[in-house]
Amino acid sequence: MHASKLELPQTPLRQPRMESHPRLRVGPAVAVYVWQYPLRVAHWGLVLCIGILSFTGYYIHDPFIIGQSNTYFLMGWIRFVHEVAAMLFMAFLLIRFYLFYGGDRWARLGAMLPLKRKQWTEMWEMVKFYFLVRPTPVPKVGHNAIASVSYLGIYLLMLVEVITGLVMFNWLSHGPVLTPLVGWIPRLFNIQNIRLVHFLLLFVFIAFGIIHVHMCLTVSGVEKRGLMDSIFTGYKIIPVEELEEDDHQAIAASRGEGVKK
Amino acid sequence: MLATDTTLGQSLANRGVSRRQLVKFCTAMLGTLALPDRYLAQTMAAVTKARKPVLVWLPFQDCTGCSESMLRSSHPDVADVVLDLLSWEYHEVVMAGAGDAANKVLDRVAKEEKGKYIVVVEGAIPTADDGMYCTIGGRTALDIATQMCSNAAATIAVGACAFDGGLVRSSPNPTGALGVHEAVPGIKVINMSGCPHNPVNTAAVLVHYLTFHDLPDLDQYNRPLFAYGRIIHDQCERRAHFDAGRFVTEWGDDGHKKGWCLYKMGCKGPEANFNCPIVQWNDHTSWPIRAGHGCIACASPRFWDNMSPFYDRLPMVHGFGVEASASHIGAGLLGSALVGVTIHGLVRTIKPVPYPVEAINTPAPNPETTAGKEN
Amino acid sequence: MARIVVDPVSRIEGHLRIEANLEGGKLTDAWSSGTMFRGIEMILKGRDPREAWIWAQRICGVCTMVHAIASVRAVEDALKIDVPENAKLVRNLIAGAQMVQDHVVHFYHLHALDWVDVAAALKADPARTSSLAQSISNCEKSSAIYFKGVQSRVKAVVDSGQLSLFASGYWGHPAYTLPPEVNLMAVAHYLEALAWQKDFIRIHAVLGGKNPHPQSFLVGGMSTAMDPNEPAAVITPERIIFMRDLVRGALKFVNDYYIPDVLAIAPLYKDWFTRGEGLGNFLAYGDYSSGDQSDPKTFLFPRGIVMGRDLSRVLPVDPHKITESVAHSWYEYSSGGNLDETGGKHPAIGETFPKYSGPKAPFDHLDVDAKYSWLKAPRYDGKPMEVGPLARMVVGYASGKKEIKDSIDGVLKALNAPPTVLFSTLGRIAARALESQLMARQLESWVNQLDDNLAHGKTAIFNPVRWDPSSWPNSASGVGFHEAPRGALGHWVEIEGKAIKNYQAVVPTTWNAGPRDSKGQRGAYEAALLNTPVADPNRPLEILRTIHSFDPCIACAVHVVDAQGREYTIPRIP
């Protein structure tokens, strides 16, 4: 299988501008289409929803603006917006979850779950990077090992947030669809604890957001692979020698080519 | 003594209750039960033909508040319930007999009325230390409950304590208290939770039972849907203020005087299932939110532990040394994240790790590929 | 010698067991045992002191709200909160209404059947009953037709063979000596009182949302917002009118039914003015100030102690002298520390472990030489005390409080009897009736003050300065006193780190129904039963008469406090 590693892609999707960069060794590089557009849509959709949901959710917990006229319908609107944003949030989360299965090499669950020893070694190297011991991050086309695990954790917590939210929604609406799905949950965990979890996770998501942005900026600035760009454009510029074997296959697949032997 | 066949209708007629009054009463009952008019004839027939069913009211680990609440019943009037609707043969708080005379009533009812009488239980049943935390006539509450409930046609558990142990069962539950359906498993129980139960609902269940010889539709906690099917928040007279965003922010403030929503003061109306705002209390005079105080969700399962603290929206979080509110924990989390990234960024800026150009592309040591690297 | 057991004692609140020795037709000794334990003070530990009243209120649903008021007072004392005048008025109204309603229910529904033979009412002549009723009261419902209606209602129940609540009574007992007409009148009034009590107590619904367990107390005031111009406020001009009607109706009921009935029945049971005397020591904390709650001189019912039936001296109350003994109670104190000579502990440092050591159920007799009750034995200065309406009236009489003295002297004159008849079973009943009348007269003045404040825009009803727990000291302790319908009530609270560290209530019925202490001194019930003649050991009606005259409330009385409370200082006493 080492053979395929040596075979370069025929034509890079874009002309690399790498040569002009003083810190990079001159060499062949490719623009890799890492983040498919459904993934980017899901990402920004989730960001937007989390923003709206956090504000409206906090207001619902502690209505810090007091309506002065009965025409404001303030809490009514805020709750409506919260509920609509929650539906959108679920849709975006569903897209992301589909990509665990139907996405490309860098989006799949298999690439993110730390099941191989190599991923654990990488994780340790990344810890060293985050604690300023190692100067550069481990070169990686997709998520690095620590990012993968933390994103999976956050997705899991988002799932918890969705379920607790649905429980509370059903608490009010007693819908015929939701009741069989989540109606049993308040019998196991009392409704107040469900509310508490739902509320506490708000802060977990915002704290995650802060750390996430900070770490992306840091990594992007150090490795100069266009990480920050990539979540807008989908592309990262990767030196060919950093491509792993699976990356080659994925790039080929993304161009509709078969894997070359 | 017990052989006569006098019906309820006769005894009502004997004491001068006209048919007109009877129709009025039955209609009121139908209204409470949310049954259509066509059941009126059936209700009338049941109330006038039946020989009075026997009822025994057993108080265990109680505060007698539920008995007192029953004494406040207005529709039907308490005297009618006790004397005319039912033969209310045992109820320690108001019965004439005491001691042996009272204990004999229980034995007689369990034997002679087997399978036909109704038991009302008030208060929790202690199970720790062989149940010695409540004895009546030298017998434990559990012993009496088992005897009386298992021979009854149906058991009605009134109040939070009989429902699920209530206050007595709150942490640390010193006496091992349980609700009736847990202490005496396998019996037919209808739960009328609340602290206390609302006599309007309990009377409606009794009349429903007298009419149809069956219990009304129940929810997952065996509580009648007509009383516990909706949350208080949806029925609350202050709901419009909630939707408009008008909240009481301090007791006695302008919003409080104007009857604004008590959500910020810890009201548990959005959590609580009960028809309190509809039927209200004491002959429809008022209810707690009308009196300016938040709801404590007294009809909810294990409400003492689950719904307290009553003046905060959410439970306190344990395990942080002292109890912390959810907002404090959230603020702490956000603060730590901000401080963390700031320090990280600052350290990187002030003391950048010198990295040689060669090092930029050094891959992680790969245990699988290092072996073949010489190639 | 025969051992009589009455268990359950019915027509009381809670689970009470009386064992007594009968010799030569008289009781030679008696033991009072509370047979139910819940441990509410253990449950209160660690909770928010601002909501302690919601929990403490559930100590009892019959004397509902009395524990709420004592609890908020204790926390307000600990946190040094002054309560606005309106809140005091509303609390007085709620508590006063409770007292009147509770006393009426006690007399007619819990106590009357000890004196009134329901079955005998069937023999009465409605016309003669009517003239009897009209001769003693201005009550409108007194026609022969009315009494005939009541009689036929009772007859219908009796004829049906299903006697309901009356099925197990001691009907025909030789101790029932009233003429049939008095019995019929009392049965009629039993039903009238049943209807009246639920109507009158709507004042609790107005001021507390519901009864039992009104829900409008706050540490720092009341939740019943006042505003003369806001229809959605809780206390509005419209609700003032409604309450004024209710309290006027209460006074009318007490004057037209309760007082005349007591005065009609009591002289027909003259023996009971000498029976059931009991301890002769009386304790009242005093309560119901229209002004400064911390100043006992403003109290409607004065604070004080009368020892050994000596009406010439009223001793001051020093709450430091209150201790609780567990020598005959199913508890253990941890070893050593702070025990006084009777083996008791002050409630502020009280601590107890429940430990049942009685016989296994089912049992026939308790081992009365060992521990035999879930009640502790409170003592004042080592002495057992009686509390309740009689204690309040005796202390008020001995203090020379004009309203109380006039009221009692009037009754004594009507009965042509010396003040010593107060120390008896009937004395307790009379004291309760007189107290109801005093209170019913007072209620309207509180409504009027509230109305006055409302009209003048004086609407403050809550003091917010200490609502936020961050404004509290790290540790604080306080005590709250209240004169509940059944007597002197005290709650002690210790707050540390914004939570309850220790909570203890010393409750009227614990004083009265408690067992013996380590010196073997009897409690009030046990002492009051001595020398009572019992005609039929199988139907001990006489025991019920004396016990019921105390109006027992056993759920209130059974208490235990958490084991952590050893090192506290005794709280400040107001």
Side-chain angles (χ1 to χ4, degrees):
Chain A
M1 294 298 274
H2 283 279
S4 67
K5 193 186 170 189
L6 299 171
E7 273 197 47
L8 297 177
Q10 294 303 307
T11 46
L13 289 176
R14 277 186 199 168
Q15 274 307 314
R17 293 157 297 171
M18 295 302 122
E19 285 108 324
S20 62
H21 200 287
R23 276 193 175 166
L24 277 181
R25 273 192 294 190
V26 178
V30 284
V32 182
Y33 188 52
V34 194
W35 315 126
Q36 295 162 295
Y37 80 87
L39 187 94
R40 282 176 285 141
V41 166
H43 175 268
W44 291 113
L46 289 174
V47 171
L48 184 72
C49 288
I50 288 176
I52 297 171
L53 288 167
S54 299
F55 177 80
T56 52
Y58 190 83
Y59 183 86
I60 292 167
H61 167 75
D62 177 12
F64 47 88
I65 307 166
I66 301 296
Q68 290 304 323
S69 150
N70 57 356
T71 53
Y72 279 21
F73 204 59
L74 189 58
M75 180 61 104
W77 275 111
I78 295 249
R79 289 184 65 240
F80 176 73
V81 170
H82 191 80
E83 281 161 18
V84 171
M87 300 295 168
L88 282 172
F89 181 82
M90 283 190 284
F92 290 127
L93 200 60
L94 210 60
I95 295 175
R96 184 61 190 91
F97 283 0
Y98 169 74
L99 294 176
F100 277 143
Y101 162 76
D104 60 24
R105 132 125 175 105
W106 302 287
R108 277 174 199 251
L109 194 59
M112 294 175 75
L113 275 177
L115 298 176
K116 297 183 197 138
R117 205 176 133 211
K118 184 184 160 201
Q119 284 161 299
W120 288 96
T121 332
E122 270 182 31
M123 226 184 277
W124 174 241
E125 290 297 317
M126 283 308 291
V127 168
K128 290 207 285 200
F129 167 73
Y130 288 133
F131 281 91
L132 313 177
V133 178
R134 188 189 143 103
T136 58
V138 179
K140 204 75 190 154
V141 178
H143 301 305
N144 74 56
I146 282 208
S148 301
V149 171
S150 59
Y151 299 167
L152 285 180
I154 284 293
Y155 290 137
L156 199 67
L157 292 180
M158 285 179 178
L159 199 62
V160 173
E161 191 75 342
V162 164
I163 292 169
T164 52
L166 287 176
V167 168
M168 287 190 280
F169 188 69
N170 188 55
W171 188 259
L172 307 181
S173 64
H174 301 281
V177 180
L178 278 179
T179 303
L181 288 177
V182 297
W184 53 274
I185 294 175
R187 283 210 81 159
L188 298 182
F189 314 95
N190 90 67
I191 189 75
Q192 283 296 86
N193 285 341
I194 288 171
R195 272 166 216 274
L196 181 64
V197 168
H198 193 80
F199 179 62
L200 281 178
L201 285 179
L202 180 167
F203 297 99
V204 173
F205 294 137
I206 296 179
F208 166 79
I210 293 169
I211 297 167
H212 175 62
V213 170
H214 174 77
M215 286 309 174
C216 287
L217 283 170
T218 307
V219 171
S220 184
V222 173
E223 72 175 9
K224 306 281 192 287
R225 299 290 183 267
L227 174 66
M228 285 309 282
D229 282 8
S230 70
I231 196 59
F232 297 97
T233 62
Y235 286 95
K236 275 189 185 179
I237 310 300
I238 309 288
V240 171
E241 63 181 65
E242 283 179 19
L243 293 176
E244 292 172 35
E245 174 191 324
D246 291 354
D247 296 332
H248 287 284
Q249 293 177 17
I251 292 166
S254 75
R255 294 189 200 142
E257 296 168 11
V259 180
K260 297 197 173 171
K261 297 283 172 191
Chain B
M1 197 70 164
L2 290 161
T4 51
D5 291 317
T6 319
T7 69
L8 193 53
Q10 278 169 294
S11 58
L12 288 171
N14 286 344
R15 51 165 289 238
V17 174
S18 68
R19 188 171 166 79
R20 188 183 148 79
Q21 284 167 303
L22 191 61
V23 171
K24 205 172 142 194
F25 161 69
C26 291
T27 315
M29 277 295 98
L30 288 176
T32 309
L33 289 162
L35 289 173
D37 285 350
R38 62 196 154 82
Y39 284 100
L40 182 60
Q42 208 174 339
T43 308
M44 289 281 294
V47 172
T48 49
K49 283 205 186 104
R51 188 176 169 275
K52 289 184 283 186
V54 172
L55 182 143
V56 295
W57 183 297
L58 304 173
F60 296 127
Q61 280 181 304
D62 64 333
C63 75
T64 314
C66 291
S67 293
E68 286 284 338
S69 193
M70 202 68 220
L71 291 181
R72 312 284 184 264
S73 174
S74 305
H75 305 290
D77 184 81
V78 50
D80 297 348
V81 178
V82 169
L83 293 178
D84 303 324
L85 271 181
L86 293 148
S87 189
W88 203 276
E89 303 206 351
Y90 184 97
H91 192 165
E92 284 175 35
V93 185
V94 278
M95 69 192 289
D100 275 354
N103 296 325
K104 278 179 191 148
V105 172
L106 289 184
D107 286 337
R108 175 175 58 73
V109 169
K111 207 187 293 168
E112 291 178 7
E113 304 282 335
K114 190 174 164 71
K116 287 185 287 185
Y117 64 97
I118 301 169
V119 177
V120 178
V121 176
E122 171 182 9
I125 298 174
T127 56
D129 300 319
D130 302 323
M132 295 311 297
Y133 293 107
C134 180
T135 62
I136 299 160
R139 296 170 65 197
T140 62
L142 186 58
D143 181 14
I144 296 170
T146 308
Q147 178 202 11
M148 296 312 293
C149 296
S150 51
N151 287 309
T155 299
I156 302 176
V158 296
C161 299
F163 167 41
D164 59 11
L167 177 101
V168 198
R169 193 189 183 175
S170 323
S171 169
N173 192 4
T175 59
L178 292 176
V180 181
H181 72 281
E182 296 154 298
V184 190
I187 54 168
K188 192 175 186 182
V189 183
I190 180 165
N191 289 316
M192 305 301 297
S193 62
C195 189
H197 72 121
N198 195 319
V200 177
N201 295 330
T202 305
V205 167
L206 285 171
V207 171
H208 188 284
Y209 183 79
L210 297 181
T211 309
F212 302 105
H213 302 286
D214 198 3
L215 299 174
D217 288 341
L218 304 178
D219 71 1
Q220 54 178 340
Y221 299 103
N222 277 8
R223 304 177 301 183
L225 280 173
F226 75 82
Y228 301 90
R230 288 282 166 204
I231 58 165
I232 283 186
H233 196 47
D234 283 354
Q235 311 163 67
C236 180
E237 64 206 19
R238 300 190 179 202
R239 178 57 186 265
H241 296 300
F242 173 83
D243 289 331
R246 295 191 294 199
F247 299 97
V248 177
T249 52
E250 184 179 278
W251 300 111
D253 69 5
D254 266 3
H256 199 204
K257 288 174 183 168
K258 290 174 182 160
W260 285 4
C261 176
L262 293 160
Y263 185 77
K264 288 189 83 158
M265 310 313 286
C267 177
K268 299 294 184 295
E271 283 85 346
N273 280 59
F274 208 4
N275 60 352
C276 203
I278 303 295
V279 299
Q280 306 200 359
W281 294 83
N282 304 96
D283 206 5
H284 208 92
T285 303
S286 188
W287 63 296
I289 289 176
R290 173 82 182 83
H293 193 283
C295 166
I296 60 171
C298 70
S300 298
R302 307 289 315 280
F303 86 95
W304 288 103
D305 281 337
N306 291 348
M307 296 300 170
S308 60
F310 297 122
Y311 295 115
D312 289 295
R313 282 242 54 76
L314 290 173
M316 291 290 149
V317 183
H318 303 267
F320 284 81
V322 287
E323 286 189 336
S325 79
S327 298
H328 287 138
I329 291 173
L333 197 63
L334 289 191
S336 331
L338 278 173
V339 169
V341 299
T342 312
I343 291 175
H344 191 257
L346 276 177
V347 172
R348 282 197 70 88
T349 317
I350 296 166
K351 187 176 171 293
V353 180
Y355 48 93
V357 170
E358 292 74 23
I360 292 177
N361 297 324
T362 310
N366 190 333
E368 286 161 27
T369 54
T370 38
K373 215 172 178 183
E374 284 81 25
N375 302 342
Chain C
M1 188 185 79
R3 173 65 66 87
I4 300 176
V5 177
V6 187
D7 181 10
V9 175
S10 61
R11 279 180 284 125
I12 61 163
E13 197 295 325
H15 304 286
L16 176 68
R17 176 186 180 97
I18 298 290
E19 296 200 14
N21 283 344
L22 182 67
E23 218 170 331
K26 285 192 169 185
L27 299 181
T28 54
D29 210 345
W31 296 269
S32 153
S33 167
T35 61
M36 189 272 275
F37 168 80
R38 289 179 296 172
I40 290 179
E41 288 117 321
M42 288 165 112
I43 291 167
L44 266 167
K45 200 199 151 206
R47 316 260 177 198
D48 183 347
R50 292 173 301 171
E51 66 181 47
W53 69 267
I54 302 179
W55 300 71
Q57 172 159 250
R58 268 68 181 185
I59 288 173
C60 185
V62 174
C63 5
T64 184
M65 108 336 103
V66 306
H67 296 284
I69 211 168
S71 178
V72 290
R73 281 179 180 170
V75 178
E76 284 160 1
D77 179 43
L79 301 175
K80 316 225 179 340
I81 303 171
D82 278 330
V83 177
E85 185 199 351
N86 286 325
K88 287 179 190 163
L89 287 170
V90 171
R91 287 179 187 178
N92 275 353
L93 263 177
I94 293 179
Q98 171 69 16
M99 180 173 274
V100 176
Q101 191 256 9
D102 202 43
H103 285 352
V104 169
V105 169
H106 173 261
F107 178 71
Y108 286 102
H109 307 120
L110 307 186
H111 203 9
L113 299 182
D114 297 337
W115 311 96
V116 173
D117 187 339
V118 176
L122 295 179
K123 297 186 209 119
D125 172 7
R128 285 176 59 196
T129 311
S130 167
S131 43
L132 167 74
Q134 285 166 1
S135 70
I136 61 167
S137 151
N138 297 325
C139 170
E140 294 90 347
K141 285 190 175 177
S142 59
S143 68
I145 295 169
Y146 164 75
F147 285 114
K148 182 140 188 56
V150 173
Q151 198 176 33
S152 43
R153 184 173 190 187
V154 175
K155 189 169 183 310
V157 172
V158 172
D159 287 351
S160 76
Q162 292 188 293
L163 282 169
S164 203
L165 292 173
F166 310 116
S168 49
Y170 300 138
W171 313 128
H173 191 286
Y176 285 119
T177 55
L178 294 180
E181 284 73 23
V182 180
N183 282 319
L184 177 57
M185 183 180 75
V187 170
H189 292 176
Y190 177 103
L191 295 171
E192 291 298 333
L194 202 55
W196 171 82
Q197 54 89 21
K198 70 182 164 59
D199 181 59
F200 172 60
I201 209 61
R202 288 188 294 163
I203 194 169
H204 274 194
V206 172
L207 295 173
K210 63 181 166 120
N211 171 283
H213 299 324
Q215 195 166 312
S216 59
F217 289 86
L218 294 171
V219 167
M222 298 296 291
S223 75
T224 51
M226 296 171 66
D227 197 302
N229 305 314
E230 285 293 346
V234 183
I235 298 173
T236 60
E238 170 262 320
R239 289 262 149 163
I240 292 277
I241 292 169
F242 181 59
M243 288 194 287
R244 192 176 280 130
D245 275 359
L246 288 175
V247 298
R248 282 181 182 167
L251 182 59
K252 186 168 163 48
F253 189 90
V254 170
N255 284 340
D256 286 0
Y257 289 87
Y258 190 9
I259 300 283
D261 285 352
V262 171
L263 292 180
I265 292 174
L268 298 169
Y269 283 110
K270 271 206 157 64
D271 288 349
W272 290 88
F273 276 121
T274 56
R275 292 178 190 162
E277 295 177 51
L279 299 167
N281 304 335
F282 298 95
L283 165 70
Y285 295 147
D287 204 346
Y288 297 103
S289 166
S290 298
D292 183 4
Q293 185 65 38
S294 61
D295 180 11
K297 288 192 191 70
T298 65
F299 288 170
L300 175 64
F301 301 131
R303 174 176 294 184
I305 287 173
V306 168
M307 294 298 284
R309 271 173 243 147
D310 179 4
L311 288 173
S312 65
R313 271 178 68 207
V314 180
L315 306 170
V317 176
D318 177 5
H320 289 87
K321 292 184 177 169
I322 299 168
T323 53
E324 289 190 301
S325 160
V326 294
H328 287 278
S329 315
W330 286 311
Y331 303 102
E332 284 180 342
Y333 280 146
S334 66
S335 56
N338 298 316
L339 296 177
D340 74 349
E341 69 276 13
T342 55
K345 280 196 166 192
H346 188 275
I349 52 163
E351 47 105 35
T352 321
F353 303 99
K355 188 162 171 43
Y356 183 77
S357 55
K360 268 210 166 332
F363 55 81
D364 292 327
H365 296 293
L366 292 167
D367 180 5
V368 293
D369 295 328
K371 291 174 184 270
Y372 63 87
S373 178
W374 283 116
L375 273 63
K376 296 195 222 172
R379 295 293 180 260
Y380 181 85
D381 208 7
K383 304 259 184 358
M385 311 293 286
E386 176 177 339
V387 299
L390 179 58
R392 281 192 286 264
M393 291 301 106
V394 164
V395 169
Y397 188 80
S399 316
K401 180 90 181 167
K402 190 172 179 308
E403 298 93 323
I404 297 176
K405 203 158 170 21
D406 289 355
S407 180
I408 292 177
D409 283 338
V411 171
L412 292 176
K413 202 174 156 204
L415 295 170
N416 194 20
T420 47
V421 299
L422 287 172
F423 309 120
S424 66
T425 298
L426 281 181
R428 281 184 205 102
I429 297 173
R432 192 170 285 114
L434 294 178
E435 177 175 88
S436 303
Q437 192 181 35
L438 287 170
M439 181 55 80
R441 283 185 196 142
Q442 188 68 38
L443 288 174
E444 192 178 341
S445 74
W446 289 327
V447 175
N448 290 342
Q449 281 183 57
L450 215 49
D451 192 13
D452 203 41
N453 290 347
L454 193 64
H456 289 90
K458 233 179 106 182
T459 59
I461 201 159
F462 177 73
N463 178 352
V465 291
R466 291 275 183 280
W467 181 254
D468 186 352
S470 62
S471 65
W472 300 351
N474 190 44
S475 66
S477 60
V479 57
F481 291 122
H482 175 54
E483 277 295 340
R486 287 163 181 79
L489 169 66
H491 280 214
W492 279 260
V493 65
E494 286 277 341
I495 301 167
E496 196 167 287
K498 327 287 182 228
I500 294 169
K501 189 165 185 189
N502 197 6
Y503 202 96
Q504 173 72 308
V506 181
V507 178
T509 300
T510 323
W511 285 101
N512 289 340
R516 286 154 166 74
D517 58 24
S518 55
K519 287 181 180 167
Q521 299 184 98
R522 291 182 184 89
Y525 289 4
E526 297 173 338
L529 285 174
L530 294 184
N531 297 320
T532 301
V534 172
D536 178 355
N538 295 318
R539 297 192 295 168
L541 181 62
E542 296 85 349
I543 291 180
L544 293 182
R545 285 181 173 172
T546 293
I547 295 298
H548 281 156
S549 74
F550 285 93
D551 194 2
C553 184
I554 308 301
C556 283
V558 179
H559 286 285
V560 60
V561 74
D562 178 80
Q564 301 300 315
R566 250 158 278 151
E567 297 156 7
Y568 307 142
T569 51
I570 292 173
R572 185 168 64 87
I573 306 298

